[in-house]
Amino acid sequence: MKILSLRVLEFGPLPLVKTAYPAETVFVSIGADPVADRSDTSYDLSPDKVRRTLTLLNDPTFDAIFVSRPSTQRRWYNTLVRLIFNRRIAERGVPALRVFGDRLLRLGAKAPLIVFDPSDATFAASDAIWLWRKAAVVFKRELPLDPWQMFALTVHGDLPTPRFRRKARYRALVAKARPMSLGLTASLQAKVSPEAPEKTVDIFFAGHTLGNSWLREKGTEELAALRASDPSITIDVAEEMMPHDAFLRRCARARLVWSPAGLGHDTFRHYEAAVCGSVPLISRPTILQYAPFKDGDTAFFYDPEGQGLTAAVRRALAQRGALGAMGMAARAHVLTHHTVRARVDHMLAAVSAGGV
């Protein structure tokens, strides 16, 4: 679905709707870094832009207001100290105002509000609940299988109890929450080749393990043991940083790309692997997902217990001849559902034509 007829006012650290629909969107930067392309329809929130922004919030010609708001327990004094002592402060204009720019929505707005939380966090930050209450719908990347757990130790002092879960004001928030992926970046989508890549490696992984997810540390040990015990399986593992184009080339030559959860389960690597024509090998999902991959069709899932990763690799490589077609199916799935425009259309549909 293309939502070309909507006019949108967007707030966020980076443009998302503006990237998909530049002519239909006014973007107001509320991130720590200034917006890259300033224009009449793309500007940093600053003291001299507050009045203009309030006017836009009350402009009845907008069909939706879109706010990208990561869930972080944002304490004003901690944020202010970090901004003041940041070495790049001179390059950033007035970031102390920008990062609190979404507070202008407390003063009201004419159009329905869509909130998107792209962060690693499974929780709903207590200082964002007011924004969720104003929203028509909230899309969250790391939406727990039990959405009530979003409130653990933030809004609720412990794991939400049955009594808490019966409260109408929190039931209303849970009803608004829907999953949304990180998906493809626009720059990566522009690099996609229609050709099926030649496969010369069985499995590839690149990424930091120490200090990241336990799944990465355990899985790296499993892959090392597998490589030592079965030389017929070609494994390419790189823990060093590399240019993104080099990373994509190594993804493309692999039949499987190991894509375990990092700080969050949903990760760019799922979509990067698939768009390179490789099959993502993903740790069993722990979140509700938007347009998920299907095990054995567009991806392989594995259980982290025991030697689950090793078993999944052997299961996948038992059908080496089918992995090329499976990788292309994964690519088609991502290009259909997880491009910037596809994701934006899905979110904007929540306030048009009866919702999603």
Side-chain angles (χ1 to χ4, degrees):
M1 182 190 303
K2 293 186 177 181
I3 317 295
L4 289 170
S5 61
L6 294 188
R7 187 166 182 251
V8 180
L9 176 60
E10 178 180 11
F11 294 81
L14 295 170
L16 186 63
V17 182
K18 182 72 171 176
T19 299
Y21 295 113
E24 294 84 3
T25 307
V26 175
F27 175 67
V28 182
S29 171
I30 56 171
D33 290 309
V35 68
D37 54 339
R38 295 182 184 86
S39 68
D40 289 341
T41 61
S42 183
Y43 63 88
D44 297 314
L45 185 62
S46 57
D48 62 317
K49 294 291 195 303
V50 169
R51 179 174 293 182
R52 180 189 176 191
T53 305
L54 291 173
T55 299
L56 293 175
L57 284 170
N58 288 284
D59 185 341
T61 66
F62 283 105
D63 299 287
I65 296 170
F66 184 95
V67 178
S68 180
R69 172 45 158 101
S71 261
T72 55
Q73 290 292 83
R74 190 169 63 184
R75 308 302 185 198
W76 69 267
Y77 43 84
N78 290 338
T79 301
L80 192 59
V81 167
R82 284 197 300 270
L83 291 170
I84 290 173
F85 290 99
N86 193 297
R87 288 179 298 175
R88 296 170 61 196
I89 190 71
E91 305 169 13
R92 294 184 170 189
V94 192
L97 173 62
R98 284 203 301 274
V99 296
F100 294 105
D102 55 10
R103 298 301 201 278
L104 292 179
L105 286 157
R106 286 186 178 274
L107 302 177
K110 293 290 186 184
L113 172 63
I114 300 169
V115 173
F116 173 46
D117 172 11
S119 67
D120 294 322
T122 56
F123 60 76
S126 57
D127 68 341
I129 294 301
W130 69 270
L131 188 61
W132 284 40
R133 294 196 192 285
K134 288 181 174 292
V137 62
V138 178
F139 289 93
K140 186 166 176 57
R141 165 192 159 196
E142 296 292 311
L143 183 60
L145 294 176
D146 173 16
W148 285 100
Q149 294 187 19
M150 294 186 295
F151 304 126
L153 302 178
T154 57
V155 178
H156 190 277
D158 203 332
L159 187 67
T161 60
R163 181 173 177 271
F164 182 88
R165 295 172 188 231
R166 289 194 291 269
K167 292 183 178 180
R169 65 183 182 276
Y170 293 114
R171 295 187 68 81
L173 295 181
V174 169
K176 294 178 182 184
R178 302 176 190 179
M180 178 46 59
S181 66
L182 282 175
L184 286 182
T185 61
S187 60
L188 178 54
Q189 185 181 349
K191 298 176 183 178
V192 175
S193 166
E195 303 298 324
E198 181 184 2
K199 303 299 182 182
T200 58
V201 171
D202 287 325
I203 183 167
F204 169 63
F205 171 73
H208 294 298
T209 56
L210 186 63
N212 202 286
S213 168
W214 171 84
L215 288 172
R216 291 190 180 188
E217 292 193 43
K218 180 180 183 297
T220 302
E221 293 172 0
E222 274 195 69
L223 290 182
L226 181 60
R227 178 162 48 191
S229 65
D230 191 344
S232 70
I233 298 176
T234 53
I235 300 175
D236 178 13
V237 174
E239 293 193 33
E240 75 277 4
M241 293 291 291
M242 67 180 73
H244 195 239
D245 284 350
F247 168 78
L248 296 175
R249 285 194 297 272
R250 287 167 77 166
C251 278
R253 72 179 189 175
R255 296 177 180 88
L256 303 169
V257 173
W258 179 40
S259 190
L263 299 181
H265 182 275
D266 191 63
T267 170
F268 284 119
R269 185 182 284 100
H270 301 342
Y271 311 101
E272 291 168 333
V275 85
C276 287
S278 300
V279 181
L281 178 56
I282 304 172
S283 52
R284 188 71 62 182
T286 56
I287 57 172
L288 296 173
Q289 300 171 91
Y290 159 69
F293 292 97
K294 293 183 180 179
D295 187 25
D297 182 9
T298 51
F300 287 105
F301 296 156
Y302 75 93
D303 297 308
E305 297 85 2
Q307 298 294 301
L309 176 58
T310 301
V313 171
R314 293 192 182 281
R315 174 167 67 103
L317 294 181
Q319 45 187 308
R320 269 188 178 90
L323 293 182
M326 192 172 170
M328 296 307 286
R331 172 190 286 181
H333 173 75
V334 168
L335 292 177
T336 299
H337 297 289
H338 295 284
T339 62
V340 171
R341 176 164 287 189
R343 293 165 57 240
V344 165
D345 284 351
H346 182 81
M347 289 189 280
L348 293 183
V351 295
S352 68
V356 296

